[in-house]
Amino acid sequence: MRNKVVSFAGKEIRVEEKRIGELEKIVAALFPESKGNIQKINLGKLLEQAGFDLLYKKLPVIFPDITEEDVKNAYMSELERLIEVFVEVNFTGLKRLMKPLMSLIQAGLQPR
């Protein structure tokens, strides 16, 4: 399991790799209309909601140790780093697997 520690609003936040089912639950909590399916996230609707309230409500869903007050006291650079580490810890393996997986799919589609 991958994990990293990030400074955020004076706290040390441990970002741990989530199980696939946990990531699905996080997506469902952040974007209820998606029912956990990343493909069903409506980015247009999300952009309409863009604002600080969005950060106050959504970040604690991903990072339970963070409060609205923490978000208010954080620097934007801390937020950027926190999100970068979350993606790195949880999706690096997926990025590494994509090329071999695509090669395998293409090989399976080749006429024999």
Side-chain angles (χ1 to χ4, degrees), residues 50-68:
F52 293 114
D53 275 356
L54 182 69
L55 296 175
Y56 302 147
K57 292 175 186 169
K58 305 280 185 183
L59 279 179
V61 171
I62 303 169
F63 309 102
D65 294 338
I66 292 175
T67 65
E68 180 178 332

Side-chain angles (χ1 to χ4, degrees), residues 23 32 39 42 49 58-59 67 78 82 95 105:
L23 289 171
Q39 293 176 327
N42 183 340
Q49 300 172 0
K58 305 280 185 183
L59 279 179
T67 65
E78 291 175 314
L82 186 65
K95 288 185 342 189
I105 289 169

Side-chain angles (χ1 to χ4, degrees), residues 93-112:
L94 183 60
K95 288 185 342 189
R96 287 184 189 153
L97 288 175
M98 286 309 292
K99 188 173 182 178
L101 185 59
M102 293 307 289
S103 295
L104 184 61
I105 289 169
Q106 288 174 348
L109 295 176
Q110 297 295 321
R112 294 177 190 196

Side-chain angles (χ1 to χ4, degrees), residues 19-89:
R19 295 179 188 274
I20 293 170
E22 292 171 320
L23 289 171
E24 186 177 27
K25 287 178 183 176
I26 288 171
V27 168
L30 290 173
F31 312 100
E33 73 282 356
S34 75
K35 296 186 173 108
N37 185 338
I38 293 173
Q39 293 176 327
K40 293 184 179 178
I41 294 173
N42 183 340
L43 291 179
K45 186 176 177 183
L46 179 63
L47 291 175
E48 288 173 11
Q49 300 172 0
F52 293 114
D53 275 356
L54 182 69
L55 296 175
Y56 302 147
K57 292 175 186 169
K58 305 280 185 183
L59 279 179
V61 171
I62 303 169
F63 309 102
D65 294 338
I66 292 175
T67 65
E68 180 178 332
E69 197 61 32
D70 293 332
V71 176
K72 287 180 180 181
N73 289 316
Y75 291 101
M76 192 57 74
S77 59
E78 291 175 314
L79 173 63
E80 291 167 5
R81 181 69 183 140
L82 186 65
I83 299 299
E84 285 172 0
V85 167
F86 179 80
V87 170
E88 180 181 324
V89 165

